Amino acid sequence: MSVLRKLALALAALIALLGLAAGVAYALFDAAAIKRHLVEQVALKSGRTLNIAGDVSLSLWPEVAVSAGQVSLSEADGKTEFAALESLRVAVAVMPLLAGKVEAREIGIDGLALTLVKRRDGKLNIDDLTAGEAAAKPAAQEEKTAADGGQPLQLDIAGLALRDARFTWRDEMAGKTTQLSALDFSTGRVQADSAAGSLAIDQLKLAARGSSGDDRFEANIELPAIKFAEQRLATPFAGKLALSSPAMPMGSVKLPLSGKLALDLGKSTADLTLDTQLDASNIALKLAVERLSPLFFNFDLDIDQLDVDHYLPPAKPGAAGGDAGASGKAEKPAAKIDLSALEALNFRGKLAIGQLQAKGLKLSALTARLAAADGRFDVSSMQAKLYGGSLDGALGVNARGNVFTVRQNLSGIDIRPLLADLIQKEPLEGRGTVTLNVNTRGATVDALKRGLAGQASLALKDGAIRGVNLAKQLRDAKALLRGGKSAASAPDAAEKTDFSELIATFRIANGVAHNDDLAMKSPFLRLAGAGDIDIGNSQIDYLAKVSVVETSKGQEGKERDELRGITVPVRLRGPFDNLSYSLEAGELLKDAAKAKLDEKKNELKEKAGKKLEEKLGDKLKGLFGK
């Protein structure tokens, strides 16, 4: 018998043997028995109900493949559904198994639905599944596994696929539900070697839509290659993230994503670079995780331009008003300021923004250092250019006690456009310096306003007080002295009082800023004053005192000359949005009477002096015979 004939006979025998083995396997394969066994084991070990409504099938060549359909698992109560899937298929190549290598052709899951619940008592609906994991493995087996290191495993999977999956997270304590829907996850070739501790994935794609309350989001991420070796992972990534919410003025935003991720599990460190674009803003982030547990990281964030106001909801009509009393309805309790999230933050970083608009304020070349630890958040070395000048300061927030601190020094600024953008009013003109060093604490915005304490100062040159004409107030004062009447008047945007210099300092306590050193100079007038600005209750009660120091030619000069030596008191009073000015008639008349009395005294002194001089002159003439 020739060698070829012998090989042919051996091959035929092998094929026949494999065919016989396959026939026996198929004959012994009992889908119904397998279903019953799986259901019994799940019920025995977890107390949950497993239901396999679809078919369970097996194929042996050219790959070993197991598939199942319409599978569901109940909650611990055995009634409500915890997880379900439409179909599952796992296919493994036959020949590599003989060499101890798992070479999968396909691992695919379709229509997976999973619900995780955090109950009101803080427990999860999977606690019963995870509680016995540590006890499930005998101690002797753990020792043996640790001693021999286990059997090395090699995986070579053509691809993983999770199609049309749905995940639901329901937090009954917070009353909030987050959902992921239409989740698709796929990979290219996956290779792993437990002995070498290596993992390589040719390509990974993730696409998902989701919601949290009324907010919606959509994400698409692609990692072209993932390599993990010697506890290190490195991969570039790209994708996009879309967010939509009725609370956002623009409705939705889309963020393109690109960058690199590096992870070192041995050192518990990670590095991330991310580039994205938010509307017209180009954003670059570098992040270095120095410690994974507890998490601590450094970052460097650079943004060329950012309009924060574009992403804030518009102010609600009547938000600061008191229309609740008019309607007879009780006012809603003020919203609490929750700073508890700061307790978990631990980082340091640098921020740079080329152009920034926030709450109406416009800044450029903003730089700052940020840090968070132990419930504190601090912004230091904060510098920027704004309104023709510069800013230098710091901010601080402490979650323990809801404490806020602000230190700002604004130099060389143009005060009029600054106030126009900040408070939508223009009460002052001029250029100069504003300093602020305050602190406060409280659980609501109103409490923070009423708790303000510290100091502030203002020094301006070559400006004006807008809304009031002190020269006109002087004319009203003259009319009052001649028997006329004085009436309160509202600020008039067309009126103003020019000054060459204006300085003032404020001591702030319990939300009230007190000033008693106001000094304003102009060529003809001097202005001093004292009073309170009640920030907590949005009220002002201030008495300004105007005096004439020089006169000028013309009719107005004569009027000023008549008031020379008299201090004209002007009362500024009312809520911030409805201020009024009025002359203090009593103070004016009292001062005028005093001025007249002083004038009469001076006249009498002058007359008495002249008479005395005349008498002394006559006597001296007689004495000297002249």
Side-chain angles (χ1 to χ4, degrees):
M1 184 180 293
S2 67
V3 176
L4 290 177
R5 181 177 176 79
K6 290 180 180 179
L7 290 175
L9 289 174
L11 182 58
L14 179 60
I15 293 174
L17 182 61
L18 290 176
L20 178 63
V24 172
Y26 276 115
L28 295 177
F29 183 79
D30 187 341
I34 292 175
K35 287 184 181 181
R36 288 195 302 271
H37 179 72
L38 290 174
V39 169
E40 290 171 358
Q41 289 298 310
V42 169
L44 178 64
K45 294 183 177 182
S46 69
R48 299 190 177 215
T49 301
L50 176 67
N51 182 40
I52 306 176
D55 295 332
V56 175
S57 61
L58 171 69
S59 63
L60 297 177
W61 193 266
E63 57 196 12
V64 177
V66 177
S67 61
Q70 304 299 314
V71 181
S72 65
L73 179 66
S74 75
E75 290 279 7
D77 60 10
K79 299 177 181 178
T80 55
E81 186 177 273
F82 163 66
L85 59 86
E86 294 178 3
S87 66
L88 164 69
R89 188 174 191 274
V90 179
V92 181
V94 175
M95 299 306 294
L97 286 175
L98 302 177
K101 183 178 180 182
V102 178
E103 190 173 303
R105 300 287 187 239
E106 177 187 2
I107 298 179
I109 301 175
D110 289 278
L112 173 66
L114 179 66
T115 301
L116 296 177
V117 181
K118 183 179 182 179
R119 300 191 178 96
R120 295 183 183 277
D121 59 4
K123 295 181 179 179
L124 300 176
N125 65 334
I126 59 172
D127 285 348
D128 61 306
L129 298 176
T130 58
E133 283 186 355
K137 194 173 185 180
Q141 184 179 347
E142 289 185 358
E143 292 176 1
K144 182 178 183 302
T145 302
D148 60 18
Q151 180 68 30
L153 178 65
Q154 290 182 318
L155 293 177
D156 191 345
I157 304 172
L160 303 173
L162 179 64
R163 294 177 286 264
D164 195 24
R166 301 179 301 280
F167 291 94
T168 301
W169 165 255
R170 188 167 67 248
D171 189 340
E172 294 180 348
M173 295 182 66
K176 189 174 183 180
T177 298
T178 300
Q179 293 181 319
L180 281 176
S181 59
L183 174 64
D184 291 317
F185 172 84
S186 65
T187 71
R189 187 179 183 185
V190 179
Q191 294 175 293
D193 189 332
S194 63
S198 64
L199 171 68
I201 303 176
D202 285 349
Q203 189 177 53
L204 184 149
K205 294 182 179 180
L206 173 66
R209 295 194 300 270
S211 65
S212 181
D214 293 331
D215 300 332
R216 302 287 183 270
F217 57 89
E218 182 176 344
N220 290 276
I221 303 294
E222 181 174 339
L223 285 66
I226 300 175
K227 293 184 179 180
F228 181 81
E230 297 179 352
Q231 295 188 305
R232 291 185 181 89
L233 179 147
T235 178
F237 63 87
K240 63 181 180 179
L241 176 66
L243 304 172
S244 63
S245 170
M248 293 192 298
M250 77 299 299
S252 63
V253 295
K254 293 183 178 180
L255 302 173
L257 305 174
S258 65
K260 294 181 180 179
L261 172 65
L263 177 66
D264 189 330
L265 294 179
K267 297 180 180 179
S268 295
T269 62
D271 291 284
L272 170 71
T273 60
L274 172 66
D275 293 304
T276 186
Q277 184 173 3
L278 178 62
D279 292 333
S281 303
N282 295 309
I283 303 172
L285 171 66
K286 294 180 180 179
L287 186 145
V289 177
E290 296 184 4
R291 186 178 63 239
L292 291 175
S293 182
L295 180 63
F296 175 78
F297 60 89
N298 280 291
F299 72 88
D300 193 336
L301 179 60
D302 195 327
I303 306 173
D304 63 345
Q305 57 180 315
L306 180 61
D307 184 356
V308 176
D309 295 339
H310 180 65
Y311 304 102
L312 295 177
K316 296 180 179 179
D323 55 352
S327 64
K329 296 180 180 179
E331 295 184 1
K332 294 182 179 179
K336 298 287 186 179
I337 299 175
D338 185 6
L339 300 176
S340 59
L342 291 180
E343 297 284 355
L345 295 180
N346 196 4
F347 64 78
R348 289 193 302 266
K350 293 187 295 183
L351 173 67
I353 303 178
Q355 300 287 336
L356 173 66
Q357 177 171 322
K359 291 293 185 180
L361 290 176
K362 301 179 181 67
L363 299 87
S364 63
L366 171 66
T367 60
R369 293 186 177 274
L370 289 71
D374 301 323
R376 286 188 56 88
F377 173 66
D378 294 292
V379 181
S380 60
S381 303
M382 183 178 179
Q383 297 181 333
K385 296 179 181 179
L386 71 169
Y387 303 96
S390 62
L391 173 149
D392 184 6
L395 305 171
V397 181
N398 192 339
R400 299 172 186 178
N402 276 39
V403 179
F404 295 78
T405 58
V406 179
R407 180 185 61 79
Q408 298 293 332
N409 182 48
L410 284 69
S411 302
I413 60 156
D414 189 348
I415 194 71
R416 180 179 177 182
L418 170 64
L419 294 176
D421 288 342
L422 182 63
I423 63 174
Q424 291 75 54
K425 296 181 185 296
E426 303 175 5
L428 286 175
E429 293 180 12
R431 187 178 291 275
T433 300
V434 177
T435 64
L436 186 66
N437 191 350
V438 297
N439 63 82
T440 187
R441 66 174 63 212
T444 65
V445 173
D446 287 340
L448 293 177
K449 290 166 64 176
R450 293 189 174 96
L452 276 172
Q455 301 85 33
S457 66
L458 173 70
L460 300 176
K461 291 185 179 296
D462 301 324
I465 300 175
R466 297 175 57 83
V468 60
N469 187 338
L470 292 180
K472 181 180 179 181
Q473 294 292 329
L474 292 175
R475 290 192 289 271
D476 290 344
K478 178 183 176 183
L480 182 62
L481 292 176
R482 292 180 176 177
K485 295 182 179 181
S486 175
S489 59
D492 185 346
E495 301 282 5
K496 67 177 182 178
T497 301
D498 295 328
F499 61 78
S500 58
E501 183 181 49
L502 173 65
I503 59 173
T505 60
F506 300 87
R507 298 186 304 276
I508 307 171
N510 299 320
V512 178
H514 177 75
N515 165 259
D516 55 16
D517 65 352
L518 174 67
M520 188 203 82
K521 298 178 181 178
S522 76
F524 306 108
L525 303 175
R526 292 292 184 270
L527 175 66
D532 295 325
I533 302 175
D534 190 341
I535 302 168
N537 294 300
S538 302
Q539 296 274 345
I540 290 181
D541 187 0
Y542 197 89
L543 181 62
K545 297 183 178 181
V546 187
S547 58
V548 177
V549 293
E550 294 291 344
T551 60
S552 62
K553 298 179 180 180
Q555 183 177 359
E556 188 172 299
K558 293 180 180 179
E559 291 177 348
R560 290 176 180 166
D561 190 51
E562 292 178 8
L563 291 168
R564 189 173 184 181
I566 297 177
T567 298
V568 179
V570 180
R571 176 70 66 176
L572 172 62
R573 179 183 285 135
F576 290 168
D577 57 355
N578 191 25
L579 293 174
S580 64
Y581 299 89
S582 64
L583 287 171
E584 293 283 287
E587 291 289 332
L588 176 61
L589 294 175
K590 180 181 177 181
D591 195 39
K594 181 177 179 300
K596 287 292 184 182
L597 181 60
D598 290 341
E599 184 179 349
K600 290 296 183 182
K601 287 181 180 180
N602 290 333
E603 289 180 2
L604 291 175
K605 287 181 180 180
E606 290 178 2
K607 289 180 179 179
K610 288 181 180 180
K611 288 181 179 181
L612 179 60
E613 184 180 352
E614 290 175 357
K615 289 181 179 181
L616 287 175
D618 292 340
K619 290 183 178 183
L620 289 173
K621 288 179 182 179
L623 178 63
F624 293 102
K626 295 183 180 180

